[in-house]
Amino acid sequence: YHGQTVLSGVSLDIYKGCITALIGPSGCGKTSLLLALNRLSDLVPGTRVRGSVQLGEHNVYAAGFDVRALRQRVGMIFQKPNPFPLSIRRNLELPLREQGVRRPDELAHRIECALTDVGLWSEVRDRLDAPALGLSGGQQQRLCIARALVLRPEVLLMDEPCSALDPLSSGVVEDLIVRLRGSYTVVIVTHNLAQARRIANYAAFFWMTERVGQLIEFGQSQRLFESPRDELTAAYLAGA
């Protein structure tokens, strides 16, 4: 950012259909990595990304790559729920219409499927035209996840999706994330180590070295939490 390197030397595989957790202290580049994966970093003034991000056989940073199509394939869920100040229905219709879906029956079917996938359909089916901002915090976050799912993405990026929620709502969203495993590839930033251990197939530990974020250790979640190979990882997980 503006000539200051914040993340360097990162190379890791994100496995299809699995949940990969990015852990580490604040400021070590986890969210910057997340934003780079679907090029939301392009929207941050003064940002430069070097290297490549491979989505299947394609480098998303290649010249001429369709960024709009990329963000349809790789959705993003932010820390705080951010529904549009519109009705529940319109929150899901807007992205569909942007992608050229116009038929009323298809719109209704896609909206019902997305809301069902996040466990909201039974809660809102009779008030789809009510304001989305009238939902609870947990419901709003699930609506935002549904808004991403309605475009049928391959990958979901999640930046601390439970941190702004109460414990009960957080548990509901966490259960939802687990249910998405297998159907979607999920990359989640979380400071909740217990959550990462519960839900992730793989985990990546980041740390600041000379004010630059670096990937210290990556591997299967159970192995990393139970027998970390790096002393820094072991110390962080132990709270030292």
Side-chain angles (χ1 to χ4, degrees):
Y1 299 103
H2 301 286
Q4 173 66 45
T5 300
V6 298
L7 191 63
S8 178
V10 176
S11 181
L12 74 162
D13 294 319
I14 304 296
Y15 293 99
K16 184 176 181 179
C18 295
I19 299 174
T20 299
L22 310 183
I23 61 173
S26 297
C28 63
K30 302 184 300 299
T31 295
S32 291
L33 175 60
L34 212 61
L35 295 177
L37 296 182
N38 71 346
R39 291 185 54 174
L40 279 176
S41 53
D42 291 3
L43 305 177
V44 182
T47 301
R48 185 160 59 96
V49 177
R50 290 185 298 180
S52 67
V53 174
Q54 298 292 136
L55 181 60
E57 299 300 315
H58 304 285
N59 173 18
V60 307
Y61 282 91
F65 194 85
D66 188 342
V67 177
R68 180 186 172 116
L70 169 66
R71 293 178 187 149
Q72 181 181 351
R73 297 174 65 188
V74 184
M76 180 80 182
I77 309 299
F78 296 93
Q79 183 173 358
K80 293 182 179 179
N82 60 344
F84 302 138
L86 303 168
S87 70
I88 296 168
R89 189 195 313 273
R90 287 285 288 158
N91 263 268
L92 301 178
E93 275 187 351
L94 268 179
L96 286 172
R97 290 184 181 277
E98 283 292 314
Q99 296 299 325
V101 180
R102 295 283 188 270
R103 285 173 38 203
D105 58 336
E106 186 175 358
L107 285 168
H109 175 69
R110 296 272 292 269
I111 288 170
E112 180 177 346
C113 287
L115 290 173
T116 300
D117 285 345
V118 301
L120 264 183
W121 178 247
S122 62
E123 299 173 30
V124 302
R125 60 187 300 175
D126 297 323
R127 50 182 178 130
L128 291 177
D129 294 314
L133 295 177
L135 298 172
S136 70
Q139 288 175 322
Q140 287 185 23
Q141 190 66 301
R142 283 188 285 154
L143 177 63
C144 292
I145 296 173
R147 191 174 61 196
L149 296 184
V150 80
L151 294 178
R152 297 173 177 167
E154 301 165 37
V155 182
L156 283 177
L157 310 176
M158 297 185 166
D159 190 10
E160 297 188 67
C162 300
S163 65
L165 305 178
D166 63 82
L168 184 60
S169 297
S170 177
V172 172
V173 172
E174 183 180 309
D175 289 344
L176 165 60
I177 296 169
V178 172
R179 291 202 308 274
L180 297 176
R181 181 193 286 128
S183 301
Y184 301 90
T185 301
V186 177
V187 185
I188 180 171
V189 170
T190 179
H191 287 285
N192 186 331
L193 296 181
Q195 180 185 72
R197 187 168 187 166
R198 282 193 300 269
I199 71 174
N201 303 99
Y202 295 89
F205 171 61
F206 291 81
W207 188 257
M208 290 280 282
T209 303
E210 297 181 354
R211 300 180 63 188
V212 177
Q214 295 191 336
L215 174 63
I216 302 300
E217 186 168 352
F218 172 73
Q220 291 187 330
S221 178
Q222 183 177 0
R223 196 278 304 160
L224 187 142
F225 277 96
E226 293 181 359
S227 50
R229 293 170 181 160
D230 191 280
E231 292 181 0
L232 270 175
T233 312
Y236 182 77
L237 296 177

